Coordinates of all heavy atoms in Angstrom, one line a residue:
M1151 N 8.4 -25.8 -49.2 CA 8.8 -24.6 -48.5 C 9.6 -23.7 -49.4 O 10.5 -24.1 -50.0 CB 9.6 -24.9 -47.2 CG 9.4 -23.9 -46.1 SD 10.4 -24.3 -44.7 CE 9.5 -25.5 -43.8
N1152 N 9.2 -22.4 -49.5 CA 10.0 -21.5 -50.4 C 11.3 -21.0 -49.7 O 11.5 -21.2 -48.5 CB 9.1 -20.4 -50.8 CG 8.7 -19.4 -49.7 OD1 9.4 -19.3 -48.7 ND2 7.6 -18.7 -49.9
S1153 N 12.1 -20.4 -50.5 CA 13.4 -20.0 -50.1 C 13.4 -19.0 -49.0 O 14.2 -19.0 -48.1 CB 14.2 -19.5 -51.4 OG 15.4 -19.0 -51.0
K1154 N 12.4 -18.0 -49.1 CA 12.3 -17.0 -48.1 C 11.9 -17.6 -46.8 O 12.5 -17.2 -45.7 CB 11.3 -15.9 -48.6 CG 11.2 -14.7 -47.7 CD 10.3 -13.7 -48.2 CE 10.3 -12.5 -47.4 NZ 9.5 -11.4 -47.9
M1155 N 11.1 -18.5 -46.8 CA 10.6 -19.1 -45.5 C 11.8 -19.9 -44.9 O 11.9 -19.9 -43.7 CB 9.5 -20.1 -45.8 CG 8.9 -20.8 -44.6 SD 7.8 -19.6 -43.9 CE 6.5 -20.8 -43.4
K1156 N 12.6 -20.6 -45.7 CA 13.7 -21.3 -45.2 C 14.7 -20.4 -44.5 O 15.3 -20.6 -43.5 CB 14.4 -22.1 -46.3 CG 13.7 -23.3 -46.7 CD 14.4 -24.0 -47.8 CE 13.6 -25.2 -48.3 NZ 14.3 -25.9 -49.4
K1157 N 14.9 -19.2 -45.1 CA 15.9 -18.2 -44.6 C 15.4 -17.7 -43.2 O 16.1 -17.5 -42.3 CB 16.1 -17.1 -45.6 CG 16.9 -17.4 -46.8 CD 17.1 -16.3 -47.7 CE 17.9 -16.7 -48.9 NZ 18.0 -15.6 -49.9
V1158 N 14.1 -17.4 -43.2 CA 13.5 -16.9 -41.9 C 13.6 -18.0 -40.8 O 14.0 -17.7 -39.7 CB 12.0 -16.5 -42.1 CG1 11.3 -16.3 -40.8 CG2 11.9 -15.3 -43.0
L1159 N 13.3 -19.2 -41.1 CA 13.5 -20.3 -40.1 C 14.9 -20.5 -39.7 O 15.2 -20.7 -38.5 CB 12.9 -21.6 -40.7 CG 11.4 -21.7 -40.7 CD1 11.0 -23.0 -41.4 CD2 10.8 -21.6 -39.4
L1160 N 15.8 -20.4 -40.6 CA 17.2 -20.5 -40.3 C 17.7 -19.3 -39.4 O 18.4 -19.6 -38.4 CB 18.1 -20.5 -41.6 CG 19.6 -20.6 -41.3 CD1 20.0 -21.9 -40.7 CD2 20.3 -20.4 -42.7
L1161 N 17.2 -18.1 -39.7 CA 17.6 -17.0 -38.9 C 17.0 -17.1 -37.4 O 17.7 -16.9 -36.5 CB 17.0 -15.7 -39.5 CG 17.3 -14.4 -38.7 CD1 18.8 -14.1 -38.6 CD2 16.6 -13.2 -39.4
V1162 N 15.8 -17.6 -37.3 CA 15.1 -17.7 -36.0 C 15.9 -18.8 -35.3 O 16.1 -18.7 -34.1 CB 13.6 -18.1 -36.2 CG1 13.0 -18.6 -34.9 CG2 12.9 -16.9 -36.7
S1163 N 16.3 -19.9 -35.9 CA 17.0 -21.0 -35.3 C 18.4 -20.5 -34.7 O 18.8 -20.8 -33.6 CB 17.2 -22.1 -36.2 OG 16.0 -22.7 -36.6
V1164 N 19.1 -19.7 -35.5 CA 20.4 -19.2 -35.1 C 20.2 -18.3 -33.9 O 21.0 -18.4 -33.0 CB 21.1 -18.5 -36.3 CG1 22.3 -17.8 -35.9 CG2 21.5 -19.5 -37.4
V1165 N 19.3 -17.4 -34.0 CA 19.1 -16.4 -32.9 C 18.7 -17.2 -31.6 O 19.2 -16.9 -30.6 CB 18.0 -15.4 -33.3 CG1 17.6 -14.6 -32.1 CG2 18.5 -14.5 -34.4
T1166 N 17.9 -18.2 -31.7 CA 17.5 -18.9 -30.6 C 18.7 -19.7 -30.0 O 18.9 -19.7 -28.8 CB 16.4 -20.0 -30.9 OG1 15.3 -19.3 -31.5 CG2 15.9 -20.8 -29.7
L1167 N 19.5 -20.3 -30.8 CA 20.7 -21.0 -30.4 C 21.6 -20.0 -29.7 O 22.2 -20.3 -28.6 CB 21.3 -21.7 -31.6 CG 22.6 -22.4 -31.2 CD1 22.3 -23.6 -30.3 CD2 23.3 -22.9 -32.5
L1168 N 21.9 -18.9 -30.3 CA 22.8 -17.9 -29.7 C 22.3 -17.4 -28.4 O 23.1 -17.2 -27.4 CB 23.1 -16.8 -30.7 CG 23.9 -17.2 -31.9 CD1 24.0 -16.0 -32.8 CD2 25.3 -17.7 -31.5
T1169 N 21.1 -17.1 -28.2 CA 20.6 -16.5 -27.0 C 20.5 -17.6 -25.9 O 20.6 -17.3 -24.7 CB 19.2 -15.8 -27.2 OG1 18.3 -16.8 -27.7 CG2 19.3 -14.6 -28.1
S1170 N 20.2 -18.8 -26.3 CA 20.2 -19.9 -25.2 C 21.6 -20.2 -24.7 O 21.7 -20.7 -23.6 CB 19.5 -21.1 -25.8 OG 20.2 -21.7 -26.8
C1171 N 22.6 -20.0 -25.5 CA 24.0 -20.3 -25.1 C 24.7 -19.1 -24.5 O 25.8 -19.1 -24.1 CB 24.8 -20.8 -26.3 SG 24.2 -22.4 -26.9
Y1172 N 24.0 -18.0 -24.4 CA 24.6 -16.7 -23.9 C 24.9 -16.9 -22.4 O 24.1 -17.3 -21.6 CB 23.6 -15.6 -24.0 CG 24.0 -14.3 -23.4 CD1 25.0 -13.5 -23.9 CD2 23.4 -13.8 -22.2 CE1 25.4 -12.3 -23.4 CE2 23.8 -12.7 -21.6 CZ 24.8 -11.9 -22.2 OH 25.2 -10.7 -21.6
K1173 N 26.1 -16.6 -22.1 CA 26.6 -16.6 -20.7 C 26.9 -15.2 -20.2 O 27.6 -14.5 -20.9 CB 27.9 -17.5 -20.5 CG 28.3 -17.6 -19.1 CD 29.5 -18.5 -19.0 CE 30.0 -18.6 -17.6 NZ 31.3 -19.3 -17.5
E1174 N 26.3 -14.8 -19.1 CA 26.5 -13.5 -18.6 C 27.9 -13.4 -18.0 O 28.3 -13.9 -17.0 CB 25.5 -13.2 -17.5 CG 25.4 -11.8 -17.1 CD 24.3 -11.5 -16.2 OE1 23.3 -12.3 -16.2 OE2 24.4 -10.5 -15.5
E1175 N 28.8 -12.7 -18.7 CA 30.2 -12.5 -18.3 C 30.4 -11.6 -17.2 O 31.4 -11.8 -16.4 CB 31.0 -12.1 -19.5 CG 31.1 -13.1 -20.7 CD 31.7 -14.4 -20.3 OE1 32.6 -14.4 -19.5 OE2 31.3 -15.4 -20.9
N1176 N 29.6 -10.6 -17.0 CA 29.8 -9.6 -15.9 C 29.0 -9.9 -14.7 O 28.8 -9.0 -13.9 CB 29.4 -8.2 -16.5 CG 30.4 -7.8 -17.6 OD1 31.6 -8.1 -17.5 ND2 29.9 -7.1 -18.5
K1177 N 28.6 -11.1 -14.5 CA 27.8 -11.5 -13.3 C 28.7 -11.5 -12.1 O 29.8 -12.1 -12.1 CB 27.2 -12.9 -13.6 CG 26.3 -13.4 -12.5 CD 25.5 -14.5 -13.0 CE 25.9 -15.8 -12.6 NZ 25.1 -16.9 -12.9
P1178 N 28.3 -10.8 -11.0 CA 29.2 -10.8 -9.8 C 29.3 -12.2 -9.2 O 28.2 -12.8 -9.0 CB 28.5 -9.8 -8.9 CG 27.1 -9.8 -9.4 CD 27.1 -10.1 -10.9
C1179 N 30.5 -12.7 -8.9 CA 30.6 -14.0 -8.4 C 30.7 -14.0 -6.8 O 31.1 -15.0 -6.2 CB 31.9 -14.7 -9.0 SG 31.6 -15.1 -10.7
N1180 N 30.4 -12.9 -6.2 CA 30.3 -12.8 -4.8 C 28.8 -12.8 -4.3 O 28.5 -12.5 -3.2 CB 31.0 -11.6 -4.2 CG 30.4 -10.3 -4.6 OD1 29.8 -10.2 -5.7 ND2 30.4 -9.3 -3.8
C1181 N 27.9 -13.2 -5.2 CA 26.5 -13.3 -4.9 C 25.9 -14.6 -5.1 O 26.5 -15.4 -5.8 CB 25.7 -12.3 -5.7 SG 26.3 -10.6 -5.6
G1182 N 24.8 -14.9 -4.5 CA 24.1 -16.2 -4.7 C 22.8 -16.2 -3.9 O 22.4 -15.3 -3.3
M1183 N 22.2 -17.4 -4.0 CA 20.9 -17.6 -3.4 C 21.1 -18.1 -1.9 O 21.9 -19.0 -1.7 CB 20.0 -18.6 -4.1 CG 18.6 -18.7 -3.6 SD 17.6 -19.8 -4.4 CE 18.3 -21.4 -3.9
V1184 N 20.4 -17.5 -1.0 CA 20.4 -17.9 0.4 C 19.7 -19.3 0.4 O 18.5 -19.3 0.1 CB 19.8 -16.9 1.3 CG1 19.8 -17.4 2.8 CG2 20.5 -15.6 1.2
V1185 N 20.4 -20.3 0.8 CA 19.8 -21.7 0.9 C 19.2 -21.9 2.3 O 18.1 -22.5 2.4 CB 20.9 -22.7 0.6 CG1 20.3 -24.1 0.7 CG2 21.5 -22.5 -0.8
S1186 N 19.9 -21.5 3.3 CA 19.3 -21.7 4.7 C 19.9 -20.6 5.6 O 20.9 -19.9 5.2 CB 19.7 -23.1 5.2 OG 21.0 -23.2 5.3
D1187 N 19.3 -20.5 6.8 CA 19.8 -19.5 7.8 C 19.7 -20.1 9.1 O 18.9 -21.1 9.3 CB 19.1 -18.2 7.7 CG 17.6 -18.2 8.0 OD1 17.1 -19.3 8.1 OD2 17.0 -17.2 8.1
D1188 N 20.4 -19.6 10.1 CA 20.4 -20.1 11.5 C 20.4 -18.9 12.4 O 21.3 -18.1 12.5 CB 21.6 -20.9 11.7 CG 21.6 -21.6 13.1 OD1 20.8 -21.2 13.9 OD2 22.4 -22.5 13.3
V1189 N 19.3 -18.7 13.2 CA 19.1 -17.6 14.0 C 20.1 -17.6 15.2 O 20.4 -16.6 15.8 CB 17.7 -17.4 14.5 CG1 17.3 -18.6 15.4 CG2 17.4 -16.1 15.2
H1190 N 20.5 -18.8 15.6 CA 21.4 -19.0 16.8 C 22.8 -18.3 16.6 O 23.3 -17.8 17.6 CB 21.6 -20.4 17.1 CG 20.3 -21.1 17.4 ND1 19.6 -20.9 18.6 CD2 19.6 -22.1 16.7 CE1 18.5 -21.6 18.6 NE2 18.5 -22.4 17.5
D1191 N 23.3 -18.3 15.4 CA 24.6 -17.6 15.2 C 24.6 -16.6 14.1 O 25.6 -16.2 13.6 CB 25.7 -18.7 15.0 CG 25.4 -19.6 13.8 OD1 24.4 -19.3 13.0 OD2 26.2 -20.5 13.6
Y1192 N 23.4 -16.3 13.6 CA 23.2 -15.3 12.5 C 24.0 -15.7 11.3 O 24.6 -14.8 10.6 CB 23.5 -13.9 13.0 CG 22.7 -13.4 14.1 CD1 23.2 -13.1 15.3 CD2 21.3 -13.3 14.0 CE1 22.5 -12.6 16.4 CE2 20.5 -12.8 15.0 CZ 21.1 -12.5 16.2 OH 20.3 -12.1 17.3
S1193 N 23.9 -16.9 11.0 CA 24.6 -17.4 9.8 C 23.7 -17.7 8.6 O 22.5 -18.0 8.9 CB 25.5 -18.7 10.1 OG 24.6 -19.7 10.4
V1194 N 24.2 -17.7 7.4 CA 23.4 -18.1 6.2 C 24.3 -19.0 5.4 O 25.5 -18.9 5.4 CB 23.0 -16.9 5.4 CG1 21.9 -16.1 6.1 CG2 24.1 -16.0 5.0
V1195 N 23.7 -19.9 4.7 CA 24.4 -20.7 3.7 C 23.9 -20.1 2.3 O 22.7 -20.0 2.1 CB 24.0 -22.2 3.8 CG1 24.7 -23.0 2.6 CG2 24.5 -22.8 5.1
I1196 N 24.9 -19.8 1.5 CA 24.6 -19.2 0.2 C 25.2 -20.0 -0.9 O 26.4 -20.5 -0.8 CB 25.2 -17.7 0.1 CG1 24.6 -16.9 1.2 CG2 25.0 -17.1 -1.3 CD1 25.2 -15.5 1.3
R1197 N 24.4 -20.3 -1.9 CA 24.9 -21.0 -3.1 C 25.3 -20.0 -4.1 O 24.6 -19.2 -4.6 CB 23.8 -21.9 -3.7 CG 24.2 -22.7 -4.9 CD 23.2 -23.6 -5.5 NE 22.7 -24.5 -4.5 CZ 21.4 -24.6 -4.2 NH1 20.5 -23.8 -4.7 NH2 21.0 -25.4 -3.3
N1198 N 26.6 -20.0 -4.4 CA 27.2 -19.1 -5.3 C 26.6 -19.2 -6.7 O 26.4 -20.2 -7.3 CB 28.8 -19.4 -5.4 CG 29.5 -18.3 -6.2 OD1 29.4 -18.3 -7.5 ND2 30.2 -17.5 -5.6
G1199 N 26.3 -18.0 -7.3 CA 25.6 -17.9 -8.6 C 26.5 -18.3 -9.7 O 26.0 -18.6 -10.8
C1200 N 27.8 -18.2 -9.5 CA 28.8 -18.6 -10.6 C 29.2 -20.0 -10.5 O 29.2 -20.7 -11.5 CB 30.0 -17.7 -10.6 SG 29.7 -15.9 -10.9
S1201 N 29.6 -20.5 -9.4 CA 30.2 -21.8 -9.2 C 29.2 -22.8 -8.8 O 29.5 -24.0 -9.0 CB 31.4 -21.8 -8.2 OG 30.9 -21.5 -6.9
G1202 N 28.1 -22.4 -8.1 CA 27.2 -23.4 -7.6 C 27.6 -23.9 -6.2 O 26.9 -24.7 -5.6
N1203 N 28.8 -23.5 -5.7 CA 29.3 -24.0 -4.4 C 28.5 -23.3 -3.3 O 28.1 -22.2 -3.4 CB 30.8 -23.6 -4.3 CG 31.7 -24.3 -5.2 OD1 31.4 -25.4 -5.7 ND2 32.8 -23.7 -5.5
E1204 N 28.4 -24.0 -2.2 CA 27.7 -23.5 -1.0 C 28.7 -23.2 0.1 O 29.6 -24.0 0.3 CB 26.6 -24.5 -0.5 CG 25.5 -24.6 -1.5 CD 24.4 -25.6 -1.0 OE1 24.5 -26.0 0.2 OE2 23.4 -25.8 -1.7
K1205 N 28.5 -22.1 0.8 CA 29.3 -21.7 1.9 C 28.5 -21.0 3.0 O 27.6 -20.3 2.7 CB 30.4 -20.8 1.4 CG 31.5 -20.4 2.4 CD 32.6 -19.6 1.8 CE 33.6 -19.2 2.9 NZ 34.7 -18.4 2.4
R1206 N 28.9 -21.3 4.2 CA 28.2 -20.6 5.4 C 29.0 -19.3 5.7 O 30.2 -19.3 5.8 CB 28.3 -21.5 6.6 CG 27.6 -20.9 7.8 CD 27.4 -21.9 9.0 NE 26.6 -23.1 8.6 CZ 25.3 -23.1 8.6 NH1 24.6 -22.0 8.9 NH2 24.6 -24.1 8.2
F1207 N 28.2 -18.3 5.9 CA 28.7 -17.0 6.3 C 28.1 -16.5 7.6 O 26.9 -16.7 7.8 CB 28.4 -15.9 5.2 CG 29.1 -16.2 3.9 CD1 28.5 -16.9 2.9 CD2 30.4 -15.7 3.7 CE1 29.2 -17.2 1.7 CE2 31.1 -16.0 2.5 CZ 30.4 -16.7 1.5
Y1208 N 28.8 -15.9 8.4 CA 28.4 -15.4 9.7 C 28.2 -13.9 9.6 O 29.1 -13.2 9.3 CB 29.3 -15.8 10.8 CG 29.4 -17.3 11.0 CD1 30.4 -18.0 10.3 CD2 28.6 -18.0 11.8 CE1 30.5 -19.4 10.4 CE2 28.6 -19.4 11.9 CZ 29.6 -20.1 11.2 OH 29.7 -21.4 11.3
L1209 N 27.0 -13.5 9.8 CA 26.6 -12.1 9.5 C 26.3 -11.3 10.8 O 26.1 -11.9 11.9 CB 25.4 -12.0 8.6 CG 25.4 -12.7 7.3 CD1 24.1 -12.6 6.6 CD2 26.6 -12.2 6.4
Q1210 N 26.3 -10.0 10.8 CA 25.8 -9.2 11.9 C 24.3 -9.3 11.9 O 23.7 -9.6 10.9 CB 26.2 -7.7 11.6 CG 27.7 -7.5 11.6 CD 28.3 -7.7 12.9 OE1 27.8 -7.4 14.0 NE2 29.5 -8.2 12.9
E1211 N 23.7 -9.2 13.0 CA 22.3 -9.4 13.2 C 21.5 -8.6 12.2 O 20.6 -9.1 11.6 CB 21.9 -9.0 14.6 CG 20.4 -9.2 14.9 CD 19.9 -8.8 16.3 OE1 20.8 -8.4 17.1 OE2 18.7 -8.9 16.5
G1212 N 21.8 -7.3 12.0 CA 21.1 -6.4 11.0 C 21.2 -6.9 9.6 O 20.2 -6.9 8.8
D1213 N 22.4 -7.4 9.2 CA 22.6 -8.0 7.9 C 21.8 -9.3 7.7 O 21.2 -9.6 6.7 CB 24.1 -8.2 7.6 CG 24.8 -6.9 7.5 OD1 24.3 -5.9 7.1 OD2 26.0 -6.9 7.9
W1214 N 21.9 -10.1 8.8 CA 21.2 -11.4 8.8 C 19.6 -11.2 8.6 O 19.0 -12.0 7.9 CB 21.4 -12.2 10.1 CG 20.7 -13.5 10.1 CD1 21.2 -14.7 9.6 CD2 19.5 -13.8 10.8 NE1 20.3 -15.7 9.9 CE2 19.2 -15.1 10.6 CE3 18.6 -13.0 11.5 CZ2 18.1 -15.7 11.1 CZ3 17.4 -13.6 11.9 CH2 17.2 -14.9 11.8
M1215 N 19.1 -10.1 9.1 CA 17.7 -9.9 9.0 C 17.3 -9.6 7.5 O 16.1 -9.8 7.2 CB 17.3 -8.7 9.9 CG 17.5 -8.9 11.3 SD 16.3 -9.9 12.1 CE 14.9 -8.9 12.1
N1216 N 18.2 -9.2 6.7 CA 17.9 -8.9 5.3 C 18.3 -10.1 4.3 O 18.1 -10.0 3.1 CB 18.7 -7.7 4.8 CG 18.2 -6.4 5.6 OD1 17.0 -6.3 5.7 ND2 19.1 -5.6 6.0
A1217 N 18.8 -11.2 4.9 CA 19.2 -12.3 4.0 C 18.2 -13.4 4.2 O 18.4 -14.3 5.0 CB 20.6 -12.8 4.4
H1218 N 17.2 -13.4 3.4 CA 16.0 -14.3 3.5 C 16.3 -15.6 2.7 O 16.7 -15.4 1.5 CB 14.7 -13.7 3.1 CG 14.5 -12.4 3.8 ND1 14.1 -12.4 5.1 CD2 14.5 -11.1 3.4 CE1 13.9 -11.1 5.5 NE2 14.2 -10.3 4.5
P1219 N 16.0 -16.8 3.2 CA 16.2 -18.0 2.3 C 15.3 -17.8 1.1 O 14.2 -17.4 1.1 CB 15.6 -19.1 3.2 CG 15.9 -18.6 4.6 CD 15.7 -17.1 4.5
G1220 N 16.0 -18.2 0.0 CA 15.3 -18.1 -1.3 C 15.6 -16.8 -2.1 O 15.3 -16.6 -3.2
S1221 N 16.2 -15.8 -1.4 CA 16.5 -14.5 -2.0 C 18.0 -14.5 -2.4 O 18.8 -15.3 -1.9 CB 16.2 -13.4 -1.0 OG 17.1 -13.4 0.1
N1222 N 18.3 -13.5 -3.2 CA 19.7 -13.3 -3.6 C 20.4 -12.4 -2.6 O 19.8 -11.5 -2.1 CB 19.7 -12.7 -5.0 CG 20.9 -13.1 -5.8 OD1 21.5 -14.2 -5.6 ND2 21.3 -12.2 -6.7
Y1223 N 21.7 -12.7 -2.3 CA 22.4 -12.0 -1.3 C 23.9 -11.9 -1.8 O 24.4 -12.9 -2.3 CB 22.3 -12.6 0.1 CG 22.7 -11.7 1.2 CD1 21.9 -10.7 1.6 CD2 24.0 -11.8 1.7 CE1 22.2 -9.8 2.7 CE2 24.4 -10.9 2.8 CZ 23.5 -10.0 3.2 OH 23.9 -9.1 4.2
C1224 N 24.5 -10.8 -1.6 CA 25.9 -10.6 -1.9 C 26.8 -10.4 -0.7 O 26.4 -9.8 0.2 CB 26.1 -9.4 -2.9 SG 25.3 -9.6 -4.4
I1225 N 28.0 -11.0 -0.7 CA 28.9 -10.9 0.4 C 30.0 -10.0 -0.1 O 30.7 -10.3 -1.1 CB 29.5 -12.3 0.8 CG1 28.4 -13.2 1.2 CG2 30.6 -12.1 1.8 CD1 27.7 -12.8 2.4
T1226 N 30.2 -8.8 0.5 CA 31.1 -7.8 0.0 C 32.6 -8.1 0.2 O 33.4 -7.6 -0.5 CB 30.8 -6.4 0.6 OG1 30.8 -6.5 2.0 CG2 29.4 -6.0 0.1
N1227 N 32.9 -8.9 1.2 CA 34.4 -9.1 1.5 C 34.9 -10.4 0.9 O 35.9 -10.9 1.3 CB 34.6 -9.1 3.0 CG 33.9 -10.1 3.8 OD1 33.0 -10.7 3.3 ND2 34.2 -10.3 5.1
E1228 N 34.1 -11.0 0.0 CA 34.5 -12.2 -0.7 C 34.4 -12.0 -2.2 O 33.4 -11.3 -2.6 CB 33.7 -13.4 -0.4 CG 33.9 -13.9 1.0 CD 34.6 -15.3 1.1 OE1 34.8 -15.9 0.0 OE2 35.0 -15.7 2.2
T1229 N 35.3 -12.5 -3.0 CA 35.2 -12.3 -4.5 C 34.5 -13.5 -5.1 O 33.7 -13.3 -6.1 CB 36.5 -12.1 -5.1 OG1 37.4 -13.1 -4.8 CG2 37.1 -10.7 -4.7
K1230 N 34.7 -14.7 -4.6 CA 34.1 -15.9 -5.1 C 34.3 -17.0 -4.1 O 35.2 -16.9 -3.2 CB 34.5 -16.3 -6.5 CG 36.0 -16.5 -6.6 CD 36.5 -16.8 -8.0 CE 38.0 -17.0 -8.0 NZ 38.4 -17.3 -9.4
W1231 N 33.6 -18.1 -4.2 CA 33.8 -19.3 -3.4 C 33.3 -20.5 -4.2 O 32.7 -20.5 -5.1 CB 33.1 -19.2 -2.0 CG 31.7 -19.1 -2.1 CD1 30.8 -20.1 -2.0 CD2 30.8 -17.9 -2.1 NE1 29.5 -19.7 -2.0 CE2 29.5 -18.3 -2.1 CE3 31.1 -16.6 -2.2 CZ2 28.4 -17.4 -2.1 CZ3 30.0 -15.7 -2.2 CH2 28.7 -16.1 -2.2

């Protein structure tokens, strides 16, 4: 393998390593994926996108209608959980 090829492979390896280890610092920690919902009390369980913790939130009926399991949803009166 020639010197130029080695440099190209090294550069590609470094870029791949850096991008795979990139952590999004400005990610909002009051959002996450809706894991489940309950029509009886208009609640949803959301898995936090930063911590991975799950928490149940009780929503207004209109808000609950927009929080579908599997979708991303943000809680405005919480900063993280």
Side-chain angles (χ1 to χ4, degrees):
M1151 208 184 279
N1152 66 26
S1153 175
K1154 188 175 182 178
M1155 183 83 138
K1156 286 181 183 179
K1157 288 179 183 177
V1158 169
L1159 285 175
L1160 179 62
L1161 179 63
V1162 168
S1163 298
V1164 169
V1165 169
T1166 302
L1167 180 63
L1168 290 176
T1169 57
S1170 66
C1171 293
Y1172 173 73
K1173 183 178 177 185
E1174 193 174 336
E1175 296 296 328
N1176 294 326
K1177 185 161 102 174
C1179 288
N1180 65 326
C1181 300
M1183 185 180 73
V1184 178
V1185 177
S1186 64
D1187 64 350
D1188 187 348
V1189 69
H1190 299 292
D1191 58 8
Y1192 300 117
S1193 67
V1194 292
V1195 174
I1196 300 176
R1197 182 178 302 122
N1198 186 283
C1200 295
S1201 68
N1203 295 333
E1204 293 183 3
K1205 185 173 178 180
R1206 179 172 300 278
F1207 294 95
Y1208 298 90
L1209 306 176
Q1210 297 293 322
E1211 181 180 359
D1213 295 327
W1214 180 83
M1215 297 287 287
N1216 294 317
H1218 308 286
S1221 67
N1222 210 28
Y1223 196 81
C1224 297
I1225 302 295
T1226 56
N1227 61 348
E1228 290 254 350
T1229 55
K1230 59 184 178 176
W1231 63 91

